[in-house]
């Protein structure tokens, strides 16, 4: 399936946040790209602000436009606050859960682990990054993959208690998706209401 493969640091600088994970270049140059990046004071329209927030969410979770719109439409049909439901749907993607468990250093790396069949859900191999993890599901590393360097390095020193909706179990190298996260527990600085306003026009 298609995914964004362009320059990630440039995108992170555009939004002023390391949305793709730790980035040494961004840490040194955390201002917009371009000749006048440090002095830019351009006023953004309401539509531009809303569009920017949608793009930020898409890049953060590694979702393309069609997928994102489908998720929004599903959120709009679901009981609850549409913006919060949208973020919950994004958080319950398998690649994101693998990332939140600390099994990969970034979402793109987590996506690769899933695509290369290193991840099981409830004991069965799943290689679809967009697979929706449900409350009660157990996500683990496949037995043959537990010694992969990218996984062992990522898990080492990771704070597995920082996400209250996931329960880590070291013995199985994985964890249980306890429930959908509450908005205040999701660390992303996305202003989801702006996305709702954009799609509601």
């Amino acid at each position: 399936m298609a995914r964004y493969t362009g320059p990630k640091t440039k995108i992170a600088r555009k939004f002023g946040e390391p949305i793709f994970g730790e980035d040494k270049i961004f840490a040194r140059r955390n201002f917009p790209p371009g000749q006048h990046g440090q002095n830019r004071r351009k006023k953004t329209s309401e539509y531009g602000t809303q569009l920017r927030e949608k793009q930020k969410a898409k890049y953060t979770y590694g979702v393309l436009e069609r997928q994102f719109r489908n998720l929004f439409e599903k959120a709009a049909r679901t009981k609850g606050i549409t913006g919060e439901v949208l973020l919950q749907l994004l958080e319950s993607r398998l690649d994101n859960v693998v990332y939140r468990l600390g099994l990969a250093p970034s979402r793109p790396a987590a996506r690769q682990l899933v695509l290369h069949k290193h991840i099981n859900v409830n004991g069965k191999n799943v290689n679809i990054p967009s697979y929706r993890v449900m409350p009660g599901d157990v996500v683990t590393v496949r037995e043959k993959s537990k010694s992969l360097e990218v996984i062992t390095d990522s898990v080492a020193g990771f704070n597995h208690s920082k996400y209250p909706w996931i329960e880590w179990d070291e013995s199985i190298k994985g964890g249980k998706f306890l429930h959908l996260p509450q908005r205040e527990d999701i660390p992303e600085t996305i202003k989801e209401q702006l996305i709702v306003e954009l799609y509601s026009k």
Side-chain angles (χ1 to χ4, degrees), residues 43-169:
K43 187 176 181 181
T44 307
S45 67
E46 180 185 34
Y47 173 79
T49 301
Q50 295 166 346
L51 180 62
R52 178 186 172 92
E53 211 61 31
K54 183 190 75 169
Q55 291 174 327
K56 178 180 172 183
K58 283 167 53 183
Y59 283 122
T60 297
Y61 287 96
V63 179
L64 295 182
E65 180 59 39
R66 183 179 292 179
Q67 285 178 301
F68 195 84
R69 175 172 280 280
N70 287 342
L71 283 171
F72 178 82
E73 290 175 354
K74 186 169 187 176
R77 294 193 303 267
T78 303
K79 185 178 180 181
I81 302 172
T82 301
E84 290 185 18
V85 174
L86 174 63
L87 289 183
Q88 289 175 336
L89 290 174
L90 289 165
E91 283 290 331
S92 60
R93 283 172 54 97
L94 180 56
D95 54 358
N96 183 75
V97 174
V98 169
Y99 168 65
R100 294 295 192 204
L101 282 168
L103 296 171
S106 65
R107 287 186 180 90
R111 178 190 176 90
Q112 285 293 93
L113 288 179
V114 176
L115 285 170
H116 292 170
K117 301 183 177 182
H118 297 301
I119 302 299
N120 288 343
V121 178
N122 298 328
K124 295 182 179 180
N125 191 256
V126 178
N127 66 340
I128 304 171
S130 61
Y131 176 88
R132 188 180 176 192
V133 180
M134 304 297 288
D137 284 352
V138 177
V139 178
T140 59
V141 177
R142 192 181 64 167
E143 192 62 39
K144 292 180 180 179
S145 307
K146 289 183 178 179
S147 60
L148 279 176
E149 186 176 350
V150 65
I151 294 175
T152 55
D153 288 352
S154 183
V155 170
F158 185 82
N159 177 14
H160 289 103
S161 62
K162 62 173 143 180
Y163 303 120
W165 65 92
I166 296 174
E167 183 179 67
W168 173 258
D169 187 339

Side-chain angles (χ1 to χ4, degrees), residues 11-26:
I11 296 298
R13 290 174 63 194
K14 174 183 175 182
F15 293 109
E17 296 178 36
I19 60 176
F20 294 107
E22 187 177 342
D23 189 325
K24 292 180 181 178
I25 299 176
F26 174 83

